[in-house]
Amino acid sequence: MAEFKKTLGQRLEALALAPGTKVKVWVMDEARFGLHTQMRRVWTLKGLRPVLARQTKYEWDYLYGALEVVEGQAHFLHLPTVSLECDALYLEHLAATDPAAVHVVIRDQAGFHLRDLDPRLPARVRILPLPPYCPELNACEQLWDVLKDEVANRCHHRIAALRDALLPALRRNLAVESRSAPASAVCSIWNVM
């Protein structure tokens, strides 16, 4: 982890981008949110036992997200699963946020992530892998935990209701205004800037 921090500048230079190229650096991750109620500790008066509704439904949704490290932008996309195809779709949407820039994405080395120079990777996207077992280097990891706290201890009866609960939580925790893009048949896009 220390070596990654020390050599990050060298790794960025090793991408050999042309001088004058506009570059955006993102940290990216994805998280699973589902209808199975997340239980968290709650405050209550002394002597009172909290009563919380709980449901056990095994239906999941994945929130892909990236935080831009220089300008503070954020980009999120809901997808029904994780796969190489979904990863390529997310990176296409990320690259479309600024078509003139090269988007350098720093993320973990999950098996469903495209690698740098993969032919399925969008043309203006480059990947820098994080070292294994270092989630603390990715700011998105901390965001997911905060978002799970926000939707915990509540029953969401449909995935759409869970998505509707996550959008205000994203707005509050990122302290930015959100702008919705049109939804496609596969997913709905949240482009938070």
Side-chain angles (χ1 to χ4, degrees), residues 54-148:
R54 181 179 181 153
Q55 79 179 357
T56 307
K57 284 187 178 178
Y58 296 97
E59 187 176 347
W60 307 102
D61 194 36
Y62 292 83
L63 181 60
Y64 284 67
L67 304 173
E68 206 275 327
V69 299
V70 177
E71 297 172 355
Q73 296 177 343
H75 182 268
F76 297 93
L77 178 66
H78 271 286
L79 293 168
T81 188
V82 288
S83 67
L84 292 171
E85 293 77 22
C86 289
D87 188 51
L89 177 64
Y90 177 74
L91 293 173
E92 286 173 20
H93 283 279
L94 183 67
T97 61
D98 189 350
V102 172
H103 299 269
V104 177
V105 180
I106 301 171
R107 63 183 185 178
D108 60 29
Q109 301 178 48
F112 48 83
H113 285 170
L114 296 173
R115 305 294 185 243
D116 199 33
L117 304 177
D118 186 301
R120 295 169 288 185
L121 203 62
R124 301 195 60 81
V125 174
R126 299 296 302 272
I127 304 295
L128 280 181
L130 286 169
Y133 310 111
C134 294
E136 57 275 5
L137 291 175
N138 191 335
C140 282
E141 294 282 356
Q142 289 80 31
L143 178 62
W144 302 144
D145 196 41
V146 172
L147 287 177
K148 287 182 181 181

Side-chain angles (χ1 to χ4, degrees), residues 1-57:
M1 183 169 61
E3 183 178 332
F4 180 82
K5 289 179 184 179
K6 200 181 333 178
T7 62
L8 181 59
Q10 295 167 348
R11 291 171 189 243
L12 290 169
E13 288 176 3
L15 294 175
L17 301 174
T21 303
K22 182 178 180 182
V23 177
K24 289 192 168 215
V25 179
W26 302 83
V27 289
M28 182 252 167
D29 197 28
E30 60 287 316
R32 181 175 75 169
F33 291 89
L35 299 182
H36 191 100
T37 306
Q38 291 283 322
M39 303 301 284
R40 298 280 204 254
R41 293 181 180 264
V42 295
W43 288 94
T44 185
L45 296 173
K46 188 174 183 176
L48 292 179
R49 189 176 192 140
V51 178
L52 299 171
R54 181 179 181 153
Q55 79 179 357
T56 307
K57 284 187 178 178

Side-chain angles (χ1 to χ4, degrees), residues 178-191:
S178 75
R179 181 178 77 198
S180 276
S184 72
V186 178
C187 57
S188 64
I189 304 163
W190 295 344
N191 193 7

